[in-house]
Amino acid sequence: MTDQHAGLPSVKLSRRGIERWRAGHPWIYESDVEAPKSLKGGEVVRVIDHKGYLLGQAFFSRASKISLRWLSWDDTPIDEAFFASRIAAADALRRKLYPGEDTYRLIHSEADGIPGLVVDRYGDALSAQFLVPATEQRKELIADLLMKHFDAKAIVNRSDVGVRKLEGLEQEKGVLRGELKGPKAYLEGHVRLSADLLQGQKTGTFLDQRENHVLASSYATGEALDCFSYVGGFALQLALKASKVTAVEISEAACATLKENAAANGLKNVDVVSANAFDWLRDAVDEGRKFDTIVLDPPSFAKNKGAIEAATRGYKEINLRALQLLKPGGHLITCSCTYHVDEEAFEAMLDSAAADAKRKVQIVEKRGAARDHPVLLGLRETRYLKCFVLRAL
């Protein structure tokens, strides 16, 4: 099954795989793929039907249940020019969305046509994740292209994520190119923050929430509460408008950075509390405390389908407590980054929490990730972040 003319190996799809491919889903699972045993993973392959007709090209993975990741519908050469073009196209979108800014999600994997690659830009430094064998094997080429396109001073490899194990890859972290000189400062609205590209969460920080962070200030009033605060993305925005903000975060290191960020912005109305948010919320209810504005932005509670039930219980617990703490007319901004709990399930959970709290609640806004994290039609996995703005009657 090798096409000598193209010089690429071919893989054949089952009837179900053909239907999935033609429907536009960029992933084809191993059960629907017939591939040469000689393929080790990481190759670009031609995708054909049972008659040998070309369907397109894809990255091939041997270890993963996802065998194919879409690259093109035709025989376009998957070479240096291909990757350079897709990097340039991805950056063109971000420059249009954020003119004059230099911090954003640059490449959002399948949504930008380079599956298994995530790149965030922090000024003259880039932070990248190579998530599949194909991008891992091409990381030097990709690094060359990124350095050239952005005239970057450094590229950090943040491939220290569990998903690589599913691809038969070890976790990696370190400076891939150039020299990184400390954390990178950036702006979210009027708030200045810093991202530690080597030690921070994800590729340095949570850029997917940047627009929701800024939005929070427009709802902030009176006394505000921010739970799972991390380094203050929401808390500092609330502090621009609220009289006082209580920021609850379990990590001592994150609390220290949050305090530094508050001081750097001249915000003296932020009270940082190092505590487990579940325990803190329960105690606050028992104490009869009330807040005008509350934000919940927890980490993912479910890494797989088997954890959905427990995750939903966790989300309901914190949202129930928040609604008990919220004053009439107050706003709750509540988030979930758990893909396996979709928007419909998340809303149903909120409905149940409101009923148990004996509160009537309005949905004011439904939001997702920032615009530099585009959603690819046909791939629901790129629509993972939920952000509801609720108002208690």
Side-chain angles (χ1 to χ4, degrees):
M1 293 198 309
T2 301
D3 184 87
Q4 298 298 328
H5 178 71
L8 295 176
S10 294
V11 300
K12 185 184 294 184
L13 300 189
S14 69
R15 189 175 300 278
R16 183 173 62 179
I18 292 170
E19 292 175 354
R20 185 176 177 86
W21 182 273
R22 287 177 172 163
H25 200 290
W27 295 349
I28 304 296
Y29 293 95
E30 60 181 350
S31 57
D32 291 314
V33 174
E34 182 182 340
K37 289 182 169 50
S38 60
L39 297 183
K40 304 299 184 184
E43 299 89 349
V44 173
V45 297
R46 299 179 77 247
V47 182
I48 61 174
D49 65 13
H50 59 286
K51 293 183 179 180
Y53 290 120
L54 179 70
L55 298 173
Q57 297 180 90
F59 281 151
F60 177 75
S61 289
R62 175 62 73 183
S64 173
K65 291 183 179 179
I66 303 171
S67 290
L68 300 179
R69 289 176 167 82
W70 181 91
L71 290 171
S72 74
W73 297 110
D74 53 29
D75 259 332
T76 299
I78 310 301
D79 54 13
E80 180 176 336
F82 172 89
F83 292 108
S85 174
R86 296 221 165 160
I87 289 171
D91 189 40
L93 170 63
R94 278 64 179 187
R95 291 178 186 271
K96 185 173 183 178
L97 293 175
Y98 307 113
E101 298 186 32
D102 62 3
T103 299
Y104 44 76
R105 167 63 52 89
L106 167 60
I107 298 173
H108 195 43
S109 197
E110 278 87 353
D112 283 303
I114 310 180
L117 178 66
V118 170
V119 182
D120 285 345
R121 183 185 183 193
Y122 297 88
D124 60 6
L126 306 174
S127 185
Q129 293 177 327
F130 304 92
L131 303 175
V132 299
T135 52
E136 170 65 25
Q137 293 170 18
R138 293 164 178 80
K139 67 182 177 185
E140 297 300 333
L141 168 62
I142 292 169
D144 287 344
L145 294 172
L146 290 170
M147 290 289 285
K148 180 179 180 181
H149 185 88
F150 293 98
D151 191 23
K153 298 295 188 291
I155 298 179
V156 176
N157 183 1
R158 285 303 305 268
S159 301
D160 53 336
V161 288
V163 69
R164 277 176 59 102
K165 293 182 179 180
L166 302 177
E167 300 285 340
L169 301 172
E170 297 297 323
Q171 296 188 26
E172 296 180 351
K173 181 171 71 171
V175 178
L176 183 61
R177 293 290 178 87
E179 182 180 358
L180 183 67
K181 297 180 179 180
K184 304 300 294 185
Y186 65 100
L187 283 172
E188 288 187 348
H190 299 294
V191 171
R192 180 169 292 277
L193 297 168
S194 64
D196 186 334
L197 304 195
L198 275 172
Q199 303 301 331
Q201 294 288 332
K202 301 180 78 171
T203 62
T205 192
F206 296 96
L207 292 182
D208 53 358
Q209 286 280 33
R210 61 192 304 229
E211 293 179 3
N212 295 329
H213 288 163
V214 175
L215 173 86
S217 67
S218 66
Y219 289 101
T221 185
E223 189 170 353
L225 169 66
D226 177 30
C227 290
F228 310 95
S229 195
Y230 189 46
V231 297
F234 277 112
L236 302 184
Q237 296 289 345
L238 295 174
L240 296 176
K241 300 288 184 65
S243 57
K244 178 184 177 183
V245 178
T246 301
V248 180
E249 168 57 45
I250 195 169
S251 165
E252 293 282 1
C255 285
T257 302
L258 199 164
K259 291 176 182 177
E260 292 172 0
N261 286 336
N265 285 278
L267 297 171
K268 300 179 180 180
N269 57 337
V270 181
D271 179 22
V272 180
V273 179
S274 179
N276 179 298
F278 283 85
D279 296 337
W280 194 94
L281 286 165
R282 183 177 59 251
D283 292 343
V285 171
D286 291 342
E287 294 166 8
R289 298 188 64 173
K290 295 294 179 182
F291 296 90
D292 299 278
T293 314
I294 300 176
V295 173
L296 299 176
D297 185 24
S300 177
F301 288 164
K303 299 298 184 182
N304 53 60
K305 291 182 179 180
I308 291 176
E309 185 176 343
T312 303
R313 287 197 301 269
Y315 284 123
K316 182 175 178 180
E317 167 71 13
I318 59 175
N319 281 278
L320 169 62
R321 299 300 183 187
L323 289 171
Q324 290 172 328
L325 293 170
L326 194 61
K327 293 179 182 179
H331 288 92
L332 167 61
I333 301 171
T334 182
C335 308
S336 165
C337 61
T338 302
Y339 161 70
H340 295 288
V341 178
D342 63 18
E343 184 178 292
E344 183 179 358
F346 191 66
E347 184 173 335
M349 175 279 300
L350 291 172
D351 187 24
S352 178
D356 286 359
K358 296 181 172 55
R359 303 296 299 269
K360 288 297 182 184
V361 176
Q362 298 169 323
I363 298 176
V364 180
E365 290 193 56
K366 288 183 182 181
R367 301 174 60 88
R371 292 168 293 164
D372 54 0
H373 291 62
V375 171
L376 181 66
L377 283 175
L379 186 60
R380 295 184 63 188
E381 288 80 357
T382 50
R383 190 190 300 273
Y384 65 96
L385 182 64
K386 285 78 61 181
C387 178
F388 280 49
V389 180
L390 309 177
R391 179 176 177 270
L393 299 179

